[in-house]
Amino acid sequence: MTPATPRRPSPASAPPADGLDALRDDFLRHIRIDRGLAANTLRAYASDLGRFVAHAGAAGISDPSGLTREHVASFTHRLEAEGLGARSRARALSSLRRMLAYAQTLDLLSQDPMEGIRGPRVRPALPRVLRPDESIALIDAVDPTSALGLRDRAMLELLYGAGLRVSELVGLPVSGVDRRGGLVRVLGKGSKERLIPIGQAALDSIEAYLADGRAAILGKRPDRSGALFLTRRGGAMTRQNFFTLLKALARRAGLPQEKVSPHVLRHAFATDLLEGGADLRAIQSMLGHADLSTTEVYTHVSQKKLRDTVERRHPRGSGRAT
């Protein structure tokens, strides 16, 4: 997919015309402010572009105007020679393409050094998925008779019932749940906020946890974090604590530990919605994806589901599910 041309920055933000280092740094500032990218994404851009600046410098190029297609082509060969996988190489070329498009908006390039450069073909990776009965077995493995059990069940119900990222789950404040409206408000990637409707099972579990679990876990300690989900010590739940908890519940449910992760439950949420007939755009909105193609990878449909759809919907099908 050809990246969108960056908006032309104001002249005051233009970098000096004689430095790839300056161009890289200014471009990183530009996308941080203009696109509000997450810190991890910015670090990936910085790493990829740092590689290219070093590569160009070794060829005696320190000015954007000196870049040619040959410099980019040799960079792609170098990445491959270093053993980088196709996905990493494609990401590096995408980062470079965006930076050079930005340089063109500043009139720092007279020609496009990326012209004719093709990235490696990357097959979308289909994430692991749990069957609905396995997701339910994982939730049912929780013992809800203790305060911590009420917390664990509420976390799993919310993760599976709203498709949250683990960072969104552990970062959720008490105020992030609208129990009357049946909504959860999360702060996703790039500090973008979204509202997600949650089902009755998740709402009931959260109600039970808030009524009989959270205050008991907190005890007499001050509620400094305001986080919805607390550790046994009264602090905000962490990603690592939740990963450990999830592995223990997988063992208790008789599921392979390598098959269970917060990301897998997020994918199960999307897949089960899609196979239940939900609109792909609605799933995209709930997952917080900027690009629909990302949602399509998350929500692969089983071959049996596709076969059933053809048999029921196509005029030359049998008219019934197989």
Side-chain angles (χ1 to χ4, degrees):
M1 181 182 294
T2 302
T5 301
R7 289 181 294 189
R8 188 180 183 89
S10 63
S13 69
D18 61 350
L20 276 175
D21 278 312
L23 171 63
R24 177 200 59 201
D25 294 344
D26 191 76
F27 172 69
L28 291 173
R29 284 192 297 271
H30 172 69
I31 60 174
R32 176 175 59 82
I33 296 169
D34 190 58
R35 298 184 57 200
L37 298 182
N40 286 342
T41 305
L42 286 169
R43 279 193 288 270
Y45 268 100
S47 173
D48 293 336
L49 297 176
R51 279 176 178 269
F52 179 74
V53 170
H55 175 78
I61 303 298
S62 60
D63 189 292
S65 63
L67 291 174
T68 66
R69 183 183 182 281
E70 285 67 34
H71 294 121
V72 177
S74 64
F75 178 59
T76 64
H77 297 322
R78 178 174 178 175
L79 293 177
E80 188 171 7
E82 290 177 354
L84 264 69
R87 194 172 298 276
S88 296
R89 284 182 280 132
R91 189 196 68 188
L93 287 179
S94 176
S95 300
L96 180 59
R97 190 181 302 277
R98 289 178 183 275
M99 184 181 76
L100 295 183
Y102 174 75
Q104 285 183 292
T105 69
L106 300 174
D107 298 326
L108 299 179
L109 293 171
S110 58
Q111 60 180 358
D112 181 9
M114 298 293 299
E115 187 175 355
I117 299 290
R118 291 177 178 266
R121 182 171 300 218
V122 179
R123 291 184 177 181
L126 294 178
R128 296 190 302 274
V129 65
L130 292 175
R131 300 189 310 269
D133 61 297
E134 291 176 321
S135 299
I136 293 169
L138 188 65
I139 294 170
D140 287 344
V142 176
D143 177 8
T145 60
S146 67
L148 292 176
L150 290 172
R151 176 204 65 187
D152 298 346
R153 189 174 185 97
M155 292 186 79
L156 287 183
E157 288 281 14
L158 190 52
L159 189 65
Y160 176 51
L164 303 187
R165 300 177 178 96
V166 64
S167 57
E168 295 167 348
L169 181 74
V170 300
L172 190 66
V174 174
S175 60
V177 180
D178 177 359
R179 288 179 277 168
R180 178 173 296 181
L183 299 167
V184 62
R185 186 188 302 272
V186 299
L187 198 63
K189 285 188 175 180
S191 298
K192 294 178 181 176
E193 192 176 73
R194 69 186 190 279
L195 285 173
I196 309 168
I198 51 179
Q200 196 60 49
L203 278 172
D204 289 346
S205 294
I206 292 171
E207 289 281 4
Y209 166 62
L210 288 174
D212 301 312
R214 190 178 183 277
I217 293 172
L218 197 60
K220 295 182 179 180
R221 290 171 290 215
D223 187 5
R224 292 195 175 92
S225 70
L228 177 60
F229 298 113
L230 305 175
T231 66
R232 64 175 64 245
R233 295 183 177 180
M237 176 62 66
T238 66
R239 293 164 58 103
Q240 188 56 47
N241 282 342
F242 185 66
F243 269 95
T244 302
L245 165 67
L246 203 53
K247 296 300 182 184
L249 290 173
R251 287 196 303 270
R252 194 181 301 170
L255 299 173
Q257 292 182 60
E258 66 276 6
K259 191 176 181 179
V260 178
S261 72
H263 196 69
V264 166
L265 278 170
R266 174 172 159 85
H267 177 54
F269 160 81
T271 303
D272 294 348
L273 274 180
L274 185 66
E275 295 197 348
D279 178 74
L280 196 62
R281 288 284 184 185
I283 297 173
Q284 176 192 8
S285 174
M286 287 185 280
L287 291 176
H289 289 157
D291 193 326
L292 187 62
S293 64
T294 308
T295 314
E296 290 169 345
V297 173
Y298 266 97
T299 57
H300 87 279
V301 185
S302 69
Q303 290 300 311
K304 182 178 184 303
K305 180 68 176 181
L306 290 174
R307 166 59 61 188
D308 289 351
T309 300
V310 170
E311 293 295 343
R312 287 196 309 270
R313 306 290 186 184
H314 196 273
R316 303 298 287 177
S318 66
R320 63 182 185 277
T322 58

